[in-house]
């Protein structure tokens, strides 16, 4: 199996910044995509940002211009100008090739709380 280890969450004031990280236990050569999702209380888990092995990135509209994803194998999410509505559990995700099969893995989640 593939383990995803996340870090970097915490409590920050509005307008502040954090850098989340996620390290995969498997070689990046077998990873198709990695990304970050959020899950707020009472909501469904949704995409924040994703990066593919070819370098293509995509972002949710509500974080464009504030969040940046980078890396592969170990990926980072730089989050700037945080707003209270960004408060959620952030989950790392990886799509990994096993021969001709792609399997999806999730990290344990890291809490981001934006409050004054």
């Amino acid at each position: 199996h593939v383990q995803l280890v996340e870090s970097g969450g915490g409590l920050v004031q509005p307008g502040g910044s954090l850098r989340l990280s996620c390290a995969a236990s498997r070689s990046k050569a077998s990873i198709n995509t990695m990304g970050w999702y959020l899950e707020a209380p009472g909501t469904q888990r949704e995409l924040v940002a994703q990066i593919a092995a070819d370098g293509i990135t995509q972002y949710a509209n509500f974080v464009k211009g504030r969040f940046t994803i980078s890396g592969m194998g170990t990926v980072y999410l730089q989050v700037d100008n945080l707003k209270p509505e960004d408060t959620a559990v952030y989950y790392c995700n990886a799509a990994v090739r096993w021969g001709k099969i792609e399997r999806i893995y999730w990290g344990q989640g890291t809490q981001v709380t934006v409050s004054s």
Side-chain angles (χ1 to χ4, degrees), residues 2-7 21-25 36 74-75 92 106-108:
V2 175
Q3 185 179 26
L4 303 176
V5 179
E6 299 151 305
S7 64
S21 65
C22 174
S25 61
W36 290 93
T74 297
V75 297
C92 184
W106 293 94
Q108 81 287 349

Side-chain angles (χ1 to χ4, degrees), residues 101-113:
I101 304 299
E102 183 178 81
R103 296 182 64 182
I104 307 300
Y105 296 89
W106 293 94
Q108 81 287 349
T110 184
Q111 177 71 45
V112 172
T113 302

Side-chain angles (χ1 to χ4, degrees), residues 18-62:
L18 291 170
R19 184 166 62 184
L20 310 183
S21 65
C22 174
S25 61
R26 186 173 173 86
S27 169
K28 67 181 181 181
S30 64
I31 299 174
N32 292 330
T33 64
M34 295 186 71
W36 290 93
Y37 291 67
L38 66 79
E39 185 173 327
T43 73
Q44 199 164 18
R45 191 174 299 182
E46 62 182 315
L47 177 70
V48 175
Q50 181 175 279
I51 186 165
D54 61 6
I56 296 176
T57 59
Q58 61 185 90
Y59 296 91
N61 286 336
F62 72 93

Side-chain angles (χ1 to χ4, degrees), residues 53-85:
D54 61 6
I56 296 176
T57 59
Q58 61 185 90
Y59 296 91
N61 286 336
F62 72 93
V63 304
K64 286 182 178 177
R66 299 189 297 122
F67 290 16
T68 304
I69 189 169
S70 62
M72 183 54 65
T74 297
V75 297
Y76 303 92
L77 186 70
Q78 178 69 37
V79 295
D80 297 321
N81 193 23
L82 282 161
K83 305 178 185 299
E85 54 263 40

